[in-house]
Amino acid sequence: MSTPQRTESTFEQIPVINIGNATSSDPAARNALADEIRDACINVGFFYVSHHTISQETIDAAIDAAKNFFALPLAKKMSIDIHKSSNFKGYTALLGENTNPENRGDLHEGFDLGWEEMDSGISRRDGDGVMTGVNVWPEGLSGFRKACLDYYHAAVNLGKLLFPLFALALNLPEDFFDDKTIKPAAIMRLLYYPPQTGAVDDRVEGIGAHTECAPNYSRCFTILWQDQVQALQVLNTEGKWIDAVPIPGTLVVNLGDQFARWSNDIFKSTVHRAVNRTGIQRFSMPLFFGTDYNVKLEPLPGCVSEENPAKYEVVTAGDYVKSRLEATYFYPK
């Protein structure tokens, strides 16, 4: 494949990519798939994936668990408030975040969890940096932990499946990221967007406009399941908001600022937001996928040239994530 080149194309829609050939024994099929991903990563920063590896049964169970959790009394949810956690796990109340500093707050509730072994319940790994520590789980909610972790591990496995394709898209060996994702940083969120009714305050959105450099989202890429309620919007190069219309059977993948930084801005991290003005409640499940925390974010091979000199200070992935997480959470005034 040719050397990746950034362009300034203006997209009007987000591509849908069938990733069924991700594990094909035919190198030509894998390279053709990587070509599609490269084009999406360079010019859009977003794409849908179809024929992914997460079963509908796993998705349905996790969403049912999310609905049961967010239906709990507020006092019970606040008992595992994320502000009580030293490692950014637990519940976030309405307006408990403000992704866009120009807004008044994000109109959603959230629940954050990280890596945990399904059978043993061990959720502490050496090398997990700022995220080291146990998950917190609501009491008395039957099946909640299992449903969440089933989806979490399925999404992590999908993330590992995508990394060889990203490597090919950057003209790197398929196994380039293997030793950098042994203990990948992966945070999953359950998100509930209540109906926004009555007088609309334009400075209150489901999630304010941001790239994935926003504190809680500073990973390589995000794997997002969204329900059929339209809310996600992506900003193109002409400043036009493009709807990321829910497509049954697909997940949305979007690049984070960590990957943009690592690729010296060859890969694109695109501004997006969630605005739920439908009058209907909305649910989504993003998994923010990154490398091991000790990986140095040095410019990837082939991403620096005379025309595109190195732009960023070299930091570890863990330090990069920590610097952003610490600014995320606040209590509304």
Side-chain angles (χ1 to χ4, degrees), residues 35-296:
D35 276 339
E36 291 187 70
I37 289 175
R38 176 176 61 172
D39 183 69
C41 291
I42 289 175
N43 297 311
V44 183
F46 270 74
F47 55 96
Y48 299 89
V49 291
S50 66
H51 298 81
H52 56 77
T53 54
I54 306 180
S55 73
Q56 191 61 47
E57 179 182 17
T58 299
I59 293 171
D60 290 344
I63 286 301
D64 286 344
K67 292 178 179 178
N68 290 337
F69 172 74
F70 290 119
L72 291 173
L74 179 59
K76 191 160 189 176
K77 290 181 287 190
M78 289 300 293
S79 69
I80 53 171
D81 180 18
I82 201 166
H83 296 89
K84 299 177 182 179
S85 167
S86 62
N87 61 338
F88 308 98
K89 309 286 179 62
Y91 171 70
T92 302
L94 282 177
L95 304 179
E97 297 173 351
N98 193 35
T99 306
N100 181 351
E102 295 182 0
N103 285 350
R104 300 184 189 279
D106 293 342
L107 193 68
H108 68 255
E109 297 178 52
F111 177 81
D112 289 43
L113 65 136
W115 178 86
E116 180 174 322
E117 288 184 5
M118 177 63 74
D119 295 330
S120 68
I122 295 174
S123 58
R124 184 183 295 273
R125 297 184 301 186
D126 292 337
D128 269 355
V130 69
M131 302 306 297
T132 296
V134 298
N135 288 315
V136 293
W137 301 103
E139 295 182 358
L141 202 57
S142 177
F144 180 77
R145 174 184 173 274
K146 181 181 186 305
C148 289
L149 288 178
D150 279 346
Y151 183 88
Y152 176 91
H153 286 288
V156 166
N157 288 336
L158 175 57
K160 290 183 175 181
L161 186 68
L162 290 173
F163 256 120
L165 298 172
F166 287 123
L168 289 175
L170 288 162
N171 295 334
L172 298 171
E174 282 182 275
D175 63 355
F176 180 84
F177 294 110
D178 286 2
D179 64 347
K180 301 168 184 64
T181 53
I182 296 171
K183 296 179 180 179
I187 295 297
M188 173 180 160
R189 305 197 83 192
L190 306 177
L191 293 173
Y192 165 62
Y193 301 83
Q196 191 168 354
T197 57
V200 172
D201 183 344
D202 287 335
R203 293 180 61 192
V204 175
E205 298 176 332
I207 295 180
H210 64 285
T211 63
E212 299 297 48
C213 73
N216 200 39
Y217 316 117
S218 48
R219 305 296 194 273
C220 284
F221 56 90
T222 300
I223 299 170
L224 172 72
W225 178 90
Q226 58 176 341
D227 67 15
Q228 295 302 298
V229 177
Q230 172 58 47
L232 180 60
Q233 296 180 317
V234 181
L235 191 67
N236 73 9
T237 53
E238 289 187 345
K240 178 182 178 182
W241 288 106
I242 305 299
D243 288 340
V245 178
I247 301 176
T250 69
L251 302 169
V252 177
V253 175
N254 69 282
L255 300 187
D257 273 41
Q258 184 176 330
F259 228 156
R261 180 188 185 113
W262 209 3
S263 68
N264 205 33
D265 283 342
I266 287 175
F267 276 3
K268 184 180 181 67
S269 181
T270 304
V271 175
H272 52 286
R273 66 184 184 183
V275 182
N276 181 20
R277 303 261 167 82
T278 63
I280 303 170
Q281 64 181 2
R282 176 181 186 261
F283 295 88
S284 70
M285 293 188 298
L287 181 120
F288 306 101
F289 197 93
T291 62
D292 298 353
Y293 282 103
N294 63 357
V295 171
K296 286 187 177 180

